[in-house]
Amino acid sequence: MKKIKYLLILFFLFPLSLLAQQTIISGKVMDLADGATLPGVSVQIKGTTTGTVTDIAGKFQLTIPNSNAILQVSYIGYETQEIAVKTIKGGTIALKPTSKGLDEVVVVGYGVQKRATVTGSIATLQNKEIITTKNESVVNMLTGKIPGIRIVQKTAEPGSFNNDLNIRGFQTPPAIIVDGIIEGNDQGIIAKMDPNEIESLSVLKDGAAAIYGIRAAGGAILITTKKGSKNGQVSINYSVNEAVQTFLGMPQGVSAVDYMMLTNEKTKRDFANNFVNNATPAYSYADMLPWLNGTNKSADWSSLVFKKTANQIIHNLNIDGGNEKISYFFNLGYQKQDGVFKTGDLNYNKYNFRSNVTVNVAKGLKAQILTSGYMDQKNQPYTQEYTIYKYTWNQIPTNPIYANNNPLYPAVMPDNMNPAVITDDSKGGTQVAKNKSFTSQLNLTYNVPGISGLTARALFNVDYGVYDFNQIKSAYNLYTYDAVNDIYLPQPVNT
């Protein structure tokens, strides 16, 4: 009995001994350079998945198994440290900024500057960070990657590129500068670029953009394109990306019988009309009978008009090479994006090209010829897409798609908007929008001898664009069926 008693005591004391070995430590992480506290720093016990992050004041608290534990402390832009718990003095951990981050060269107004000497608010994104996200629009690829940039995609309609882009919520859109040329404030300039031709992208958020004047009141976005390598080798790259788009939420209709029963339920629950006497149901059993016995078919408007998925494909071929004397970068891109209409009459095609050649003409003198352009075409039915959505989702399943269920005779609909016709450009008409854009730049840069960092630059730029829009409205007929005489009665539309 005594042995059992001792065993029970040991059994209950063993977990307490384990708890006694565990220790709760707390501390603070700061920047070694200026002493500022660092929020969001990862503090993890080496060799385990146990860890935490510092709060807004740079403080953390962590339970460690024993005093011999080693902490791994890491933060973007700082050197990762491994620190033994018992060597932490005063609970403070100081992280050293990486020299790479300080020596990084960023593009600013009319020049470049080292990150360490930048005083304005500037964010930089490199090409590999941009193309990590695969998307039909470069603007969408920037979403969530640059602090202070707000991007809202208003529609995914092929060829629309309809985004709301601003810096820090300013209503004035930012100025777009490509290779030193101010292109205006149209974010479509960025959206229609091929992401593979972009070397880096800098965002000037405050006074750093003042050099561009009133056009940059909402900030500035500076794009630098690739100019070619100087390692004496030629690099040929080809990539293809195929994607499938689908609805996040598509309203689903009900059958004709369910629609009539739900309508009756709505009438019954209408307190204003049923307060004194019950209102007569909107549909009787006799009204439902043709759909119950199969004489009539419920109209599934969403399935008639929309596909579940829409395909898109992007091809890219680029050639990069050169040496200390001459360097070059050539790029070709093609993009095709389909819409969700089953007719296939909503689609978009785009071709991009770029040719950048840099030549060191003489000591201190450099010449560049930068040429780029794109051609695109958007095809869609005459009726606007949002109108098609409205009339498709608002149609009721008791309205037949075709008169007498004959596909040759589309039925008359409210406002003459039968989705079976207005999504077909061969019946209702078509809209075709074409863009052609060409830009060519010749610039000479001379390093003034005897004055380090002083350069003189001469630049000539040509920007040419053509927008061609054709709209054709076609006449067509909608029909009703005369069962007595077995004839279809046409109702002309768009005449």
Side-chain angles (χ1 to χ4, degrees):
M1 291 298 293
K2 289 184 178 180
K3 290 182 179 180
I4 294 174
K5 181 179 179 181
Y6 292 140
L7 287 173
L8 289 173
I9 292 173
L10 290 174
F11 177 77
F12 286 109
L13 289 178
F14 181 71
L16 295 176
S17 66
L18 291 177
L19 291 173
Q21 295 178 8
Q22 294 184 339
T23 306
I24 298 177
I25 64 168
S26 58
K28 181 171 64 174
V29 182
M30 57 182 289
D31 187 323
L32 181 61
D34 59 12
T37 55
L38 300 175
V41 178
S42 172
V43 182
Q44 186 173 347
I45 301 174
K46 185 178 180 180
T48 72
T49 58
T50 304
T52 185
V53 295
T54 58
D55 60 19
I56 193 171
K59 297 180 180 180
F60 70 92
Q61 191 175 75
L62 186 64
T63 301
I64 60 173
N66 54 69
S67 59
N68 295 322
I70 296 177
L71 300 182
Q72 288 181 323
V73 186
S74 59
Y75 192 54
I76 297 175
Y78 291 81
E79 296 179 0
T80 299
Q81 292 192 28
E82 292 188 359
I83 305 172
V85 173
K86 56 186 177 183
T87 62
I88 299 177
K89 298 180 180 179
T92 300
I93 300 174
L95 293 184
K96 181 181 179 182
T98 57
S99 57
K100 179 180 179 181
L102 294 175
D103 293 336
E104 177 188 359
V105 174
V106 297
V107 179
V108 295
Y110 301 115
V112 296
Q113 197 170 341
K114 282 190 176 183
R115 172 72 69 183
T117 61
V118 171
T119 57
S121 181
I122 299 176
T124 303
L125 209 60
Q126 301 300 321
N127 176 263
K128 63 180 180 180
E129 299 170 290
I130 297 174
I131 63 175
T132 298
T133 305
K134 306 300 181 183
N135 196 277
E136 72 279 358
S137 169
V138 175
V139 173
N140 290 337
M141 293 182 180
L142 305 179
T143 304
K145 296 179 180 178
I146 305 177
I149 289 287
R150 176 182 174 272
I151 298 172
V152 177
Q153 184 177 8
K154 296 181 178 180
T155 176
E157 179 183 346
S160 65
F161 299 103
N162 189 5
N163 290 337
D164 182 10
L165 183 153
N166 60 60
I167 297 176
R168 292 178 171 175
F170 284 111
Q171 293 184 353
T172 304
I176 310 299
I177 296 94
V178 180
D179 288 330
I181 301 297
I182 301 177
E183 301 287 354
N185 299 90
D186 181 11
Q187 55 88 21
I189 296 169
I190 304 176
K192 292 187 177 183
M193 292 185 72
D194 189 319
N196 296 279
E197 69 187 53
I198 299 175
E199 178 71 33
S200 65
L201 184 147
S202 294
V203 180
L204 312 185
K205 305 178 188 178
D206 51 17
I211 193 171
Y212 295 107
I214 191 65
R215 288 170 294 186
I221 297 178
L222 279 60
I223 297 174
T224 303
T225 60
K226 295 181 179 180
K227 305 301 189 299
S229 60
K230 299 180 181 180
N231 56 10
Q233 299 179 349
V234 179
S235 175
I236 301 176
N237 300 287
Y238 169 74
S239 64
V240 58
N241 176 260
E242 188 168 4
V244 176
Q245 296 178 300
T246 186
F247 286 102
L248 287 177
M250 167 62 76
Q252 297 296 320
V254 296
S255 68
V257 174
D258 287 339
Y259 168 76
M260 288 185 278
M261 293 180 68
L262 288 169
T263 303
N264 286 345
E265 188 69 15
K266 177 185 175 183
T267 303
K268 181 179 179 181
R269 304 297 176 184
D270 190 340
F271 180 79
N273 293 332
N274 287 341
F275 181 68
V276 179
N277 297 310
N278 288 333
T280 303
Y283 296 96
S284 65
Y285 177 76
D287 295 327
M288 302 179 190
L289 191 58
W291 283 272
L292 290 171
N293 60 26
T295 303
N296 293 343
K297 295 181 179 180
S298 299
D300 188 351
W301 293 100
S302 292
S303 297
L304 168 76
V305 174
F306 301 116
K307 300 184 293 185
K308 292 184 178 180
T309 59
N311 297 329
Q312 71 175 36
I313 190 166
I314 301 173
H315 296 272
N316 177 263
L317 173 66
N318 61 69
I319 302 174
D320 184 305
N323 49 42
E324 291 297 328
K325 183 69 176 177
I326 181 172
S327 60
Y328 52 84
F329 175 80
F330 305 114
N331 183 80
L332 289 173
Y334 169 69
Q335 173 186 324
K336 177 177 174 58
Q337 185 180 9
D338 292 330
V340 293
F341 296 157
K342 281 189 174 180
T343 59
D345 293 334
L346 175 64
N347 54 73
Y348 176 75
N349 292 272
K350 178 168 67 76
Y351 298 85
N352 289 81
F353 80 91
R354 177 168 289 278
S355 171
N356 289 348
V357 179
T358 303
V359 180
N360 289 320
V361 181
K363 184 179 180 180
L365 179 62
K366 179 177 68 175
Q368 287 185 327
I369 300 177
L370 313 178
T371 305
S372 66
Y374 72 86
M375 296 185 299
D376 69 351
Q377 179 171 328
K378 178 182 178 181
N379 304 304
Q380 67 182 86
Y382 175 82
T383 305
Q384 294 291 340
E385 188 179 16
Y386 68 86
T387 302
I388 294 174
Y389 275 81
K390 180 180 72 173
Y391 280 98
T392 300
W393 287 341
N394 287 341
Q395 290 289 1
I396 58 178
T398 54
N399 288 339
I401 300 171
Y402 306 104
N404 196 33
N405 292 324
N406 189 334
L408 298 176
Y409 302 95
V412 173
M413 289 289 149
D415 298 330
N416 295 323
M417 290 291 181
N418 188 322
V421 176
I422 60 179
T423 57
D424 190 339
D425 62 12
S426 65
K427 297 177 180 177
T430 183
Q431 295 186 41
V432 179
K434 298 180 181 179
N435 282 288
K436 293 180 180 179
S437 178
F438 174 81
T439 302
S440 184
Q441 177 188 145
L442 169 64
N443 67 69
L444 298 172
T445 304
Y446 180 64
N447 295 324
V448 178
I451 306 176
S452 178
L454 180 62
T455 61
R457 191 182 190 196
L459 185 150
F460 176 76
N461 185 79
V462 176
D463 197 343
Y464 173 78
V466 176
Y467 176 67
D468 182 19
F469 179 72
N470 290 311
Q471 189 178 50
I472 300 175
K473 187 177 183 180
S474 302
Y476 60 91
N477 291 329
L478 297 178
Y479 298 86
T480 58
Y481 177 64
D482 184 352
V484 176
N485 298 305
D486 191 25
I487 58 174
Y488 295 90
L489 304 176
Q491 177 176 313
V493 181
N494 289 345
T495 56

